[in-house]
Amino acid sequence: MRIALMFRVLAVVAVFVASLAAPAFAQEKAIHTQKTTDAVITLKSETGQWKPGPNKFALELTTSSGQPLDAGKVTVSTSMTMPGMGPMIAGATITPDKAPGRYLGTISFPDSGVRQVTVSWDGPGGKSSARFPVPVR
């Protein structure tokens, strides 16, 4: 009896430890990749797209040779122009992930449409920004 209980406890602990080591997104798909003179920016999510409502995503910044870019402080914001109205603006919450050049973010959209995404960074790898369209479906 005691041995069976010990095995159950060990199995639960093993599952718990494995879940801690699992990446934020099990199977990430690229939402958009943008190449600039300073960096390659890749937005990723589980579904490979943003949708209306809350979204979780990963942002990866690399050099043109594929090395992680030490981007320091990173911001992500979006805007969408609406006829007869001011632009709809949404900002993302961004935190550095464990891997260099990788950040995890959340952002929410009230509806679908193409957003102009601005990614800005300021760190040891340089200071720059990029702007590109991403659909919200």
Side-chain angles (χ1 to χ4, degrees):
M1 273 317 236
R2 283 187 177 171
I3 292 174
L5 179 59
M6 255 182 10
F7 279 118
R8 284 188 198 158
V9 169
L10 287 174
V12 169
V13 169
V15 169
F16 176 73
V17 169
S19 71
L20 292 176
F25 303 103
Q27 295 291 321
E28 291 178 330
K29 298 175 187 170
I31 297 171
H32 184 87
T33 299
Q34 184 69 37
K35 294 179 182 180
T36 71
T37 56
D38 303 312
V40 177
I41 303 160
T42 305
L43 289 172
K44 295 180 174 183
S45 74
E46 286 183 350
T47 62
Q49 66 182 20
W50 277 342
K51 61 181 178 24
N55 293 268
K56 291 181 181 181
F57 66 94
L59 170 70
E60 295 178 350
L61 293 139
T62 60
T63 64
S64 58
S65 64
Q67 298 301 311
L69 178 67
D70 188 355
K73 182 177 182 191
V74 175
T75 60
V76 175
S77 62
T78 67
S79 65
M80 183 172 89
T81 56
M82 299 290 289
M85 299 173 58
M88 294 176 60
I89 298 172
T93 301
I94 301 287
T95 56
D97 197 5
K98 294 172 187 156
R102 183 175 161 87
Y103 300 82
L104 299 178
T106 58
I107 194 165
S108 187
F109 301 106
D111 57 10
S112 59
V114 176
R115 301 313 202 272
Q116 291 299 315
V117 177
T118 302
V119 177
S120 302
W121 62 95
D122 185 359
K127 178 178 182 175
S128 193
S129 66
R131 185 176 162 134
F132 48 88
V134 173
V136 174
R137 302 180 193 151

